Amino acid sequence: MATGQPLFGTWDYVVLEYLLADKNMSFTPVAFSLMASFMSAITLLGVSSENYTFGIQFIVINISYGIFTPVAAYLYLPVFFRLQATSAYEYLEKRFGKVSRLAASLSYTLQMTLYMGVVLYAPALALEALTGISKVAAILSVGLVCTFYSTIGGMKAVLMTDVFQSLLMFAAVFSIIIFAVIDKGSFAEIWRIAEQGNRTELLNFDPDPTVRHSWFSLIIGGGITFLSLYAVNQTQVQRYLTVKDLKTAQKALWLNWPILTCLSLSTSFSGLAIYSKYYNCDPVKAKVINSVDQLMPLYVVDTMGDIPGLSGLFVAGIFSASLSTVSAAVNSLAAVTIEDYYKPLYKRIFNKSLSEKKIAVQSKLIALFFGFLCLAVAFLAQFLGGVLQASLTIFGVVGGPLLALFSLGMFTTTANEKGALTGLICGVSLALWMAFGSPKPPLPTLPVSTDGCVDAFNVTAPNLMRTVTGEKEYFWLYKVSYLYNGVFGLLTTYIMGYLVSFAVNKVCGHNQQNFDPNLFIPPVARRLEKMMDSPLSLKQWSDSDEDLRAKYVTNNRKF
C-alpha cells in the first residue's frame, strides 16, 4: 500500500503516536502482540487444566487457526487497511450508518470488559495456590501495575512489553514440561500414564453439537472464534494498523499462527505432565486446592518449590500473560471510546472538534478508567466457571454476531442497516440464551482417583470418580457445546440480517449499484470496479454517485 493520507479520514499526532505507535512497528513484535493479546494466564491455567480434566482433544483447535488465518489475512485485512481508521467500527458507519457503529462498539466494550475481568481473576487463582496471597491482593496488584504502564506508555509500550511477556509465558510452560520429564524419566512415560487415564483420545469425529469437544466443534467453533478475534476485533485491528502497509500486517498474522500454536501445544502437554504426577491423587477431590485452574501453580509448588527462582519464574510468566492481555484491551477500549463515543458527542454538543491536547489527556484518563473497571469486574469472574470455557464463551456470545455484522457489510451488497441491526439483535440474543440459559447439564469429565493421596497430601479419601447424570431433563439448546455459541450467533445474525435487508430493499426499491468498492472484500470489490468501469453501468449512476466514483478512482491504491 502506498504511503500518504488514509483513504477515509486523517489522524492527528496523538492518535498516531499513542494509539497506533506511529505506524512504524516491524511485523515481529506485532505478531507476538497478536498472540499475547488473547493468550493470557487463561491459556496457561485453563488449557493445562482442560487437558488434565478432559484429555487432549482440545489441541485440534490449532488446526482451525491455520485454516482461518488466510481468511482473515486476505479477505478482512485489506478492507481495514483501505479504511485506515483508529476504530474498526468506523467501517460499520460508512457501510451501514451511525447506529450500527454504536451498537457494535458497545458490544465490543461489553465483551472486552468481561474478558478483562476473567484475565485478572486467573493469576489471582495462581497466586492463591502458590503463596497464599488472597485473591483481592493479587487482582489489585496485577491490575494496578498494568493500568499504570498502559495509561502512560500507549500502544508502543504495550507492543514492546508484549514481546518480553510472551517469552516469560513460554519459559513458565517449558519449565513444567522439563521438570515432568526429569521426574518421570521420559516423554513416553508421561504419555503412557495419560493413555492409561484415557487422556489421549484425539479422534472424536462425532457431529453431534451437544458433544463438548469434537473435530467439528473445535474446527468450526474454534475457527469462528479465531475470526471474530483476528479478523474484526478492535484489539487486533489496531495492532495491524501499527505497521506501515498491508503486506507487513499479513506477515505478522502469519507469524502469529506458529507462535500461537506452539504456546497452545506446549501448554496442552503441560496438562498431561501435571496429570502424570496427580493421576492417583486428584488435588481438587482431595480438597488441597479449590479449582482445577489451580493445578499448574500447585504443581510448581510441589516440584520446584525448593529450587530458588523457578517459582518466581512461573509467577512472572502468569503475571506477564495477564499484563499483556489487559494492557492490549485497555488501550483498544480507549481508542474505541475516543473515536466512537467521545469525539462524536463532543462535536455534537460544542459544534467543534477536540483539540490535540485534550485528546492526549483524555485518552490517558479513559485508559485509566477502563483499568479500574476491569479490576471491579475481576471480582465477579469467580462466578463464570472455569477460566478457559468462560473466556471462550464470552468471545463466542459477542464475537460471532459481530463477525457476522462485518461480514454482511463486506461480503454482500444486499445488506442494509435495518437488516444488519435486526440480525445483530437476534444473533446476540440467541447466543446469550445458549450461553447463560439454565439449567446446564454437568460436564462429562474423565475419572480421577484419590487412592494415592495418603502419601501425597497426608489425607485419607476414597477412590472418587467423576460421573455424569442423565441429560434427558435438559433443554437441547442448553446442552449444545459452548464452542457453538459463536457459530449459532453468527448464522442467526447473517441469515436474519440478509433476509430482512432483502425484504427492505424490495419494499423500498434501493439501488444496489451505489457502493464504494473499498468497503468490500477484494473479490466483491473487483466485481464492483468492473461495474463502475462499464459504460452501461455508468449510465445508472446519479450525479452524487459520480462524485463517489471519482473519489474512488482518484484514491484507489493497489494492495
Side-chain angles (χ1 to χ4, degrees):
M1 176 178 169
T3 57
Q5 292 298 324
L7 189 58
F8 299 107
T10 58
W11 300 294
D12 53 46
Y13 171 77
V14 173
V15 170
L16 188 63
E17 191 275 333
Y18 185 74
L19 300 179
L20 296 177
D22 290 326
K23 289 187 65 65
N24 61 3
M25 300 298 297
S26 66
F27 69 91
T28 301
V30 174
F32 274 96
S33 185
L34 287 171
M35 181 278 293
S37 296
F38 290 106
M39 299 301 109
S40 63
I42 290 172
T43 304
L44 272 63
L45 303 181
V47 173
S48 59
S49 65
E50 166 69 32
N51 285 263
Y52 176 99
T53 307
F54 300 99
I56 65 170
Q57 185 71 46
F58 185 77
I59 68 173
V60 174
I61 200 171
N62 292 282
I63 298 175
S64 73
Y65 300 158
I67 293 173
F68 288 92
T69 290
V71 177
Y74 300 114
L75 293 183
Y76 291 91
L77 255 65
V79 180
F80 288 112
F81 263 82
R82 290 189 182 107
L83 182 63
Q84 289 289 312
T86 306
S87 169
Y89 307 108
E90 185 175 331
Y91 167 83
L92 296 173
E93 180 178 352
K94 295 183 179 300
R95 178 62 180 86
F96 295 126
K98 292 182 179 180
V99 178
S100 297
R101 176 180 182 175
L102 183 62
S105 58
L106 286 172
S107 299
Y108 167 79
T109 301
L110 174 64
Q111 177 191 42
M112 295 308 298
T113 302
L114 290 174
Y115 179 62
M116 283 195 299
V118 180
V119 168
L120 281 181
Y121 176 68
L125 287 174
L127 286 182
E128 183 183 43
L130 274 169
T131 64
I133 295 176
S134 69
K135 290 189 183 76
V136 174
I139 289 171
L140 289 175
S141 59
V142 68
L144 291 174
V145 170
C146 183
T147 299
F148 174 75
Y149 84 76
S150 299
T151 301
I152 299 300
M155 178 58 76
K156 189 168 291 188
V158 170
L159 290 174
M160 296 312 298
T161 52
D162 279 353
V163 176
F164 297 103
Q165 289 163 356
S166 298
L167 297 177
L168 283 172
M169 291 164 64
F170 279 105
V173 174
F174 288 153
S175 66
I176 290 173
I177 295 174
I178 291 170
F179 269 83
V181 172
I182 294 173
D183 181 46
K184 297 301 176 182
S186 67
F187 287 99
E189 178 62 15
I190 294 174
W191 185 263
R192 186 196 65 78
I193 294 173
E195 191 173 28
Q196 194 174 40
N198 298 319
R199 259 70 180 175
T200 59
E201 174 60 42
L202 192 61
L203 302 178
N204 187 344
F205 292 97
D206 193 340
D208 184 355
T210 63
V211 175
R212 183 174 179 269
H213 284 164
S214 69
W215 279 65
F216 289 93
S217 65
L218 288 164
I219 290 180
I220 297 173
I224 295 303
T225 301
F226 178 86
L227 277 183
S228 71
L229 296 176
Y230 286 86
V232 300
N233 188 281
Q234 166 67 27
T235 306
Q236 305 299 58
V237 170
Q238 192 173 339
R239 271 148 187 74
Y240 299 139
L241 294 177
T242 62
V243 300
K244 62 180 181 178
D245 55 30
L246 175 63
K247 288 185 177 180
T248 306
Q250 290 169 337
K251 287 180 182 179
L253 183 52
W254 275 111
L255 180 57
N256 163 79
W257 176 34
I259 297 172
L260 175 62
T261 300
C262 182
L263 181 65
S264 177
L265 292 178
S266 58
T267 307
S268 294
F269 190 79
S270 74
L272 299 186
I274 294 170
Y275 180 77
S276 71
K277 182 174 179 63
Y278 299 124
Y279 69 96
N280 65 346
C281 181
D282 180 59
V284 180
K285 289 296 184 183
K287 300 189 183 304
V288 176
I289 54 177
N290 299 320
S291 166
V292 292
D293 293 318
Q294 294 178 317
L295 281 166
M296 183 178 278
L298 175 67
Y299 181 87
V300 171
V301 171
D302 278 352
T303 59
M304 310 178 202
D306 57 343
I307 302 177
L310 282 179
S311 295
L313 175 65
F314 177 79
V315 171
I318 292 291
F319 265 80
S320 295
S322 290
L323 287 172
S324 61
T325 301
V326 175
S327 63
V330 165
N331 192 273
S332 296
L333 285 168
V336 166
T337 303
I338 286 289
E339 297 295 323
D340 293 348
Y341 313 143
Y342 194 67
K343 278 185 177 180
L345 184 63
Y346 187 91
K347 189 170 184 178
R348 185 170 183 177
I349 294 176
F350 299 103
N351 197 29
K352 62 180 181 179
S353 299
L354 276 168
S355 67
E356 184 175 309
K357 184 177 180 181
K358 286 185 177 180
I359 292 176
V361 174
Q362 289 164 5
S363 294
K364 290 179 171 61
L365 290 176
I366 291 170
L368 185 65
F369 165 77
F370 279 111
F372 286 121
L373 180 61
C374 76
L375 281 171
V377 176
F379 292 105
L380 304 176
Q382 58 187 310
F383 303 110
L384 294 177
V387 292
L388 179 65
Q389 181 165 327
S391 64
L392 291 176
T393 299
I394 291 170
F395 286 145
V397 166
V398 180
L402 281 182
L403 175 63
L405 185 63
F406 278 96
S407 300
L408 274 169
M410 295 180 183
F411 284 68
T412 173
T413 59
T414 300
N416 56 47
E417 186 168 40
K418 291 181 180 178
L421 287 173
T422 302
L424 181 65
I425 293 171
C426 294
V428 171
S429 299
L430 177 64
L432 284 170
W433 182 25
M434 292 177 62
F436 301 109
S438 59
K440 299 285 188 186
L443 295 178
T445 56
L446 294 173
V448 294
S449 170
T450 55
D451 285 343
C453 287
V454 175
D455 296 329
F457 297 118
N458 195 30
V459 297
T460 303
N463 185 46
L464 297 173
M465 302 286 287
R466 299 182 188 180
T467 57
V468 180
T469 59
E471 297 183 359
K472 61 181 180 180
E473 71 274 14
Y474 299 103
F475 180 49
W476 180 82
L477 204 61
Y478 298 157
K479 296 189 294 181
V480 172
S481 170
Y482 70 96
L483 287 169
Y484 282 118
N485 291 338
V487 177
F488 278 56
L490 178 140
L491 292 175
T492 301
T493 300
Y494 196 94
I495 293 172
M496 287 298 298
Y498 189 90
L499 292 177
V500 172
S501 296
F502 182 81
V504 170
N505 290 337
K506 283 294 184 182
V507 172
C508 300
H510 287 174
N511 181 5
Q512 296 301 303
Q513 298 291 327
N514 307 344
F515 290 107
D516 187 338
N518 290 288
L519 298 176
F520 298 88
I521 61 172
V524 178
R526 286 192 291 268
R527 179 169 61 84
L528 290 173
E529 290 170 19
K530 291 179 180 179
M531 294 173 61
M532 293 171 67
D533 292 335
S534 168
L536 177 63
S537 179
L538 287 177
K539 293 178 181 179
Q540 300 173 355
W541 285 63
S542 66
D543 292 339
S544 60
D545 297 329
E546 280 298 314
D547 293 337
L548 176 60
R549 182 182 184 278
K551 176 182 177 181
Y552 168 74
V553 172
T554 300
N555 292 282
N556 186 35
R557 298 176 177 132
K558 300 299 182 182
F559 288 82

